[in-house]
Amino acid sequence: MDELDRKINSAFPGYAVRKDLVKMVRGNAAVPSYVLEFLLGQNCATDDEAQIAAGVERVKDILAKHYVQRAEAGAVRSDIKQEGYRRVIDKVSVELNTRRDAYEATFENLGITHVLVGADVVKENRRLLVSGVWCIADLTYSANEAKDESPFLLTMLKPIQMAGFDMGEHVRARAAFSAGEWVDVVIRTIGLDPSQLSGREKLYQLTRLVTYCERNYNYVELGPKGTGKSHVFSEFSPHGILISGGEVTPAKLFVNNSTGKIGLVGYWDAVAFDEFAGKNKRPKPDIVDIMKNYMANKSFSRGIEQVTAEASMAFVGNTSHDVGYMVRNSDLFEDLPAMYHDPAFIDRIHAYVPGWEMVIIRGDMFCQGFGLIVDYLAEALRHLRAYDYSNLYAQWFELSDSISTRDRDGVTKTFSGLAKIVFPDKEMSKEECRWLLEAAIEMRERVKDQLYRIDGTFERVEFSYADRQTGEVREVKTLEEAEYAGAYHARDLVAGPPATAAVPPAGEDLFDAREPEVEAFATAPVVAAEGDDEAGADGPALFEGHREFRENQRGASYDTLFGDYLEGAREVRVVDPYVRNFYQCRNLMELLEVVLRRRDFSLPEVRVSLTTAPDEYPGSHQEDYLAQIRDAVAPMGVDFSWEIDRTGTLHARHLYVDDRWDILLDRGLDIYQRFDANDAFCLEASMPEMRRVKQFEVTYLKVGE
């Protein structure tokens, strides 16, 4: 167990579970993850391996003996009749039969109805009346002649989901964690390893959960296959439903005019449409019209009545082209069915999560440590639906007056949802508030920018906000605009240079609790440069000044960053305290490859030296890696040496080139997001410019003049 494992178990006793155990106990039982995790939380909440193994066997035994498979329901009903008694695990829902003045239960898998339930049981477990609850139940059999009564008698019913929830207790337990730690707890609870996700990827994982804690929230995520877009809607919460295929009738979704029964939006907190994209799909026009009205007004009309509901809607699907193609040739909504590729529908989307920034889920990315049982977090989010956090940012920031009411609603609802998840006690710093606000602005701006491309009646909007204390105005831009500035606003008659925006001051990284030397989530442009490019007498002009790169940007490699400055270099000195682990030493090797490509072969050799800090962890291979680098480049005319600075004062990162340039690197050489360097077919491994980067800054200073 690591420190975060221990904190989770200490702060949430009984609600912590080791996430890798779920696969061990599932077997062929079609039981939702939140049910399995509840059982595991009751039996395996310990760090003792022997007790965990015994607990896993108990859970397996419980499922094997009592879980009702639909295909075996008839045999189980027969066993109850012949044996007179059976304990079962099934999903149970209850309705009040006013004619009998009694509560009646329906067992979903077992296929029996009208089973009498005591009023005291219903009073203690009100969710039985709403969405149904997975339970362990004892049933007996007693034949009777009444047509409307069931021969099955309920003698015991015990929920195996959260039967109750204490919001005050949740807020107090959350206070034991820093913001970054809590984000990692939520990511672990979803089932993923936070150490393998970037800050923006963690943020988007949280945004998927906003549909559960924010009423009438409309969210879309389009991107490549295999990024886990639909996971949180199928496995995370008992309060959400995933509609496969993305198509549904008005009667099922809203109201059945024949029976007057309300549809899915009246029963679920989140209704998600899987595989929503697909130009060949032909949804019925009436459902699109009703959906647009519901998304805008929280109500819909079917028949003669106006009906109000609170369900949030999520639309997830796959894109058929990469983001570069969409930006240059169409728009980011191009894969939607024609009926939904409608400005009126798109304008009602509060947030667009760019699925192409999400990593493809691999087997090694699933969490192996402790997280919360998902049913606990799902209940926390459901309770937070009743609260409004949308104005928390107003004490520090003010949105631009140019942002319309609908855009403002999108920003504030996303901000409110993210704040509920990360800061349920409403206690956040100014910079933490800024991170969430900028993220919310960017996700709504992505929607509005596409409307500008699709419909000529829409005008460009400057998405900015002002600091109430300093008066500073910051403009927020999407990552796509920064990466494809020339093509992003295709309707622009005159294309100007990318706007310059301020970078948030350095501070604790909200989305990465692993180490202090990490990027903060920000929405600065890809390149914000100040300086001059005056040509020198000895060659072409080289940029002098400051550049900023955003997290998840592509196109930055050591060659594009430093190649021109290393052209014909005689001596290169690298100062970076974090050249310790294998991947950091591999980064150094890639820099030396650039030195080799730019070498002046009229010189006998190029001298390259490294000053770094020691790796004090037991079993360190730091000097072994550096020796291997020295031996590899020596035959190619590169004299590589290193010095280990043990004073503990080394911090700033520099790249000195001869006596001409001092290049300041705020992150050193550690600029790349994680990628699979061992995959022979991984483009990022062989093409550094295809890698996504962490947020970093570079300052080019000319020296020796």
Side-chain angles (χ1 to χ4, degrees):
M1 294 176 67
D2 60 20
E3 182 60 28
L4 190 57
D5 288 327
R6 285 186 282 273
K7 291 184 75 170
I8 293 171
N9 278 278
S10 175
F12 295 94
Y15 299 124
V17 64
R18 217 177 77 188
K19 291 293 176 172
D20 61 323
L21 301 180
V22 176
K23 289 184 179 179
M24 296 173 61
V25 302
R26 182 183 293 276
N28 62 349
V31 183
S33 294
Y34 50 82
V35 174
L36 296 176
E37 291 190 4
F38 188 91
L39 293 172
L40 288 168
Q42 299 298 307
N43 292 275
C44 304
T46 176
D47 60 350
D48 185 278
E49 289 296 332
Q51 294 183 38
I52 288 176
V56 168
E57 291 305 314
R58 282 196 299 272
V59 174
K60 286 182 177 180
D61 188 58
I62 290 170
L63 290 173
K65 289 181 178 179
H66 306 303
Y67 174 70
V68 178
Q69 300 276 4
R70 287 179 183 267
E72 300 175 358
V76 175
R77 292 195 296 266
S78 176
D79 291 343
I80 298 173
K81 173 180 170 59
Q82 293 180 15
E83 299 172 9
Y85 164 83
R86 182 71 178 267
R87 175 166 290 178
V88 299
I89 293 178
D90 202 349
K91 187 173 185 180
V92 182
S93 57
V94 173
E95 289 187 357
L96 174 61
N97 187 330
T98 55
R99 288 191 307 159
R100 298 178 61 188
D101 188 27
Y103 291 104
E104 296 179 340
T106 297
F107 287 70
E108 186 175 291
N109 285 2
L110 193 55
I112 59 176
T113 60
H114 303 299
V115 180
L116 292 177
V117 182
D120 56 337
V121 174
V122 176
K123 185 177 181 179
E124 293 175 3
N125 304 283
R126 290 182 58 82
R127 280 176 53 186
L128 290 167
L129 295 166
V130 183
S131 57
V133 178
W134 282 86
C135 303
I136 294 179
D138 289 348
L139 291 171
T140 61
Y141 189 91
S142 177
N144 61 71
E145 297 181 358
K147 293 183 178 179
D148 59 348
E149 292 184 12
S150 171
F152 295 95
L153 303 177
L154 181 66
T155 59
M156 185 278 290
L157 186 139
K158 178 184 177 182
I160 51 175
Q161 291 180 227
M162 292 286 297
F165 182 80
D166 186 334
M167 191 65 205
E169 181 183 336
H170 173 70
V171 171
R172 288 190 294 272
R174 155 65 182 91
F177 302 85
S178 69
E181 287 175 334
W182 182 248
V183 168
D184 283 357
V185 170
V186 175
I187 299 301
R188 284 184 172 204
T189 300
I190 294 171
L192 298 176
D193 179 1
S195 68
Q196 300 203 43
L197 299 179
S198 69
R200 283 174 71 93
E201 287 169 337
K202 292 179 186 179
L203 173 74
Y204 294 143
Q205 293 286 349
L206 298 184
T207 308
R208 290 171 173 174
L209 302 180
V210 173
T211 51
Y212 291 107
C213 64
E214 196 70 21
R215 292 169 174 166
N216 301 104
Y217 183 69
N218 307 318
Y219 150 99
V220 67
E221 180 178 353
L222 303 175
K225 299 177 182 178
T227 56
K229 294 184 287 293
S230 60
H231 170 72
V232 297
F233 304 107
S234 61
E235 291 288 331
F236 174 77
S237 171
H239 306 301
I241 185 171
L242 180 68
I243 302 173
S244 299
E247 298 183 14
V248 66
T249 64
K252 183 178 180 182
L253 186 60
F254 295 107
V255 168
N256 188 318
N257 282 340
S258 300
T259 63
K261 186 175 181 180
I262 194 169
L264 299 174
V265 295
Y267 288 96
W268 300 94
D269 291 348
V271 178
F273 297 80
D274 194 13
E275 301 174 4
F276 185 70
K279 295 181 180 180
N280 59 339
K281 295 183 177 180
R282 297 291 183 266
K284 295 182 179 180
D286 57 343
I287 194 171
V288 180
D289 293 337
I290 299 172
M291 189 178 292
K292 286 190 290 188
N293 186 56
Y294 173 73
M295 292 167 66
N297 305 315
K298 309 174 187 177
S299 63
F300 53 91
S301 178
R302 289 278 288 169
I304 61 174
E305 294 186 13
Q306 191 82 3
V307 183
T308 301
E310 298 180 349
S312 296
M313 288 194 169
F315 306 94
V316 298
N318 299 326
T319 52
S320 54
H321 297 106
D322 66 273
V323 61
Y325 177 92
M326 291 188 286
V327 169
R328 293 186 175 94
N329 299 284
S330 55
D331 61 81
L332 301 182
F333 288 98
E334 68 160 9
D335 284 293
L336 294 190
M339 293 296 297
Y340 289 109
H341 198 270
D342 173 8
F345 172 80
I346 293 172
D347 198 21
R348 287 155 169 79
I349 300 294
H350 296 125
Y352 187 139
V353 168
W356 49 87
E357 288 193 43
M358 304 294 280
V359 67
I360 304 297
I361 301 299
R362 306 183 306 272
D364 63 337
M365 293 181 62
F366 293 104
C367 179
Q368 303 295 313
F370 279 84
L372 302 177
I373 60 174
V374 289
D375 201 31
Y376 175 87
L377 184 58
E379 284 304 301
L381 298 184
R382 187 160 206 254
H383 276 69
L384 286 164
R385 287 174 74 85
Y387 299 90
D388 182 11
Y389 287 28
S390 59
N391 287 322
L392 288 183
Y393 69 88
Q395 58 184 313
W396 294 300
F397 308 112
E398 181 180 8
L399 294 178
S400 168
D401 291 338
S402 65
I403 299 178
S404 68
T405 300
R406 186 163 283 173
D407 293 330
R408 192 177 297 265
D409 287 345
V411 171
T412 55
K413 286 181 78 70
T414 303
F415 172 84
S416 176
L418 291 172
K420 289 176 185 180
I421 296 169
V422 185
F423 304 102
D425 58 358
K426 300 185 180 180
E427 296 295 326
M428 66 178 78
S429 69
K430 180 179 179 180
E431 290 310 310
E432 289 167 342
C433 179
R434 186 195 302 276
W435 281 316
L436 298 187
L437 180 61
E438 290 190 349
I441 292 173
E442 182 183 349
M443 283 186 274
R444 172 58 192 181
E445 182 182 6
R446 185 170 288 108
V447 175
K448 196 57 174 280
D449 286 350
Q450 302 316 299
L451 287 170
Y452 174 78
R453 296 168 67 94
I454 294 169
D455 189 335
T457 64
F458 283 88
E459 298 294 331
R460 281 197 60 185
V461 176
E462 178 186 294
F463 282 83
S464 62
Y465 67 96
D467 188 313
R468 290 182 180 273
Q469 295 174 323
T470 66
E472 177 192 11
V473 176
R474 295 196 181 189
E475 185 178 357
V476 178
K477 294 183 179 297
T478 67
L479 184 58
E480 302 85 65
E481 179 176 2
E483 286 187 316
Y484 306 98
Y488 188 75
H489 294 296
R491 282 176 50 205
D492 284 2
L493 298 178
V494 179
T500 299
V503 178
E508 179 194 359
D509 178 16
L510 175 62
F511 300 108
D512 197 328
R514 289 170 290 163
E515 56 175 333
E517 324 299 339
V518 290
E519 76 282 0
F521 177 80
T523 51
V526 172
V527 177
E530 293 180 357
D532 60 80
D533 291 340
E534 294 183 4
D538 57 347
L542 293 178
F543 172 79
E544 182 178 6
H546 183 70
R547 286 195 167 105
E548 301 163 1
F549 294 79
R550 284 180 56 178
E551 183 181 345
N552 278 6
Q553 177 207 339
R554 296 186 194 272
S557 67
Y558 295 148
D559 193 65
T560 59
L561 291 172
F562 313 127
D564 291 341
Y565 301 84
L566 292 170
E567 191 73 45
R570 294 172 171 82
E571 183 172 353
V572 178
R573 185 157 64 94
V574 181
V575 180
D576 185 344
Y578 292 95
V579 182
R580 307 173 179 181
N581 299 320
F582 175 79
Y583 77 92
Q584 294 166 333
C585 293
R586 185 69 188 89
N587 289 338
L588 175 63
M589 186 67 184
E590 289 192 5
L591 177 66
L592 296 183
E593 291 170 6
V594 177
V595 172
L596 274 170
R597 281 195 292 269
R598 301 290 186 141
R599 178 191 169 191
D600 181 354
F601 283 91
S602 65
L603 300 174
E605 64 181 10
V606 181
R607 292 190 300 276
V608 180
S609 62
L610 167 70
T611 303
T612 189
D615 184 1
E616 297 176 350
Y617 285 95
S620 170
H621 295 282
Q622 180 183 28
E623 299 220 39
D624 292 339
Y625 295 147
L626 296 177
Q628 292 180 53
I629 292 174
R630 177 197 60 202
D631 296 342
V633 299
M636 305 299 170
V638 175
D639 179 13
F640 173 69
S641 61
W642 67 90
E643 175 189 1
I644 305 296
D645 186 316
R646 303 184 184 277
T647 64
T649 60
L650 191 64
H651 180 72
R653 286 88 153 173
H654 295 266
L655 178 65
Y656 298 101
V657 183
D658 294 333
D659 56 355
R660 297 174 295 149
W661 291 97
D662 176 7
I663 304 176
L664 282 70
L665 314 170
D666 71 326
R667 291 195 60 91
L669 299 179
D670 186 15
I671 64 172
Y672 295 121
Q673 301 280 13
R674 182 188 295 266
F675 64 94
D676 190 355
N678 296 319
D679 184 356
F681 302 101
C682 177
L683 278 177
E684 288 91 339
S686 57
M687 299 178 66
E689 64 274 13
M690 298 301 294
R691 300 172 191 168
R692 295 197 180 276
V693 300
K694 303 172 183 178
Q695 181 187 335
F696 69 97
E697 302 174 23
V698 183
T699 303
Y700 301 86
L701 298 177
K702 192 176 292 185
V703 296
E705 294 184 350

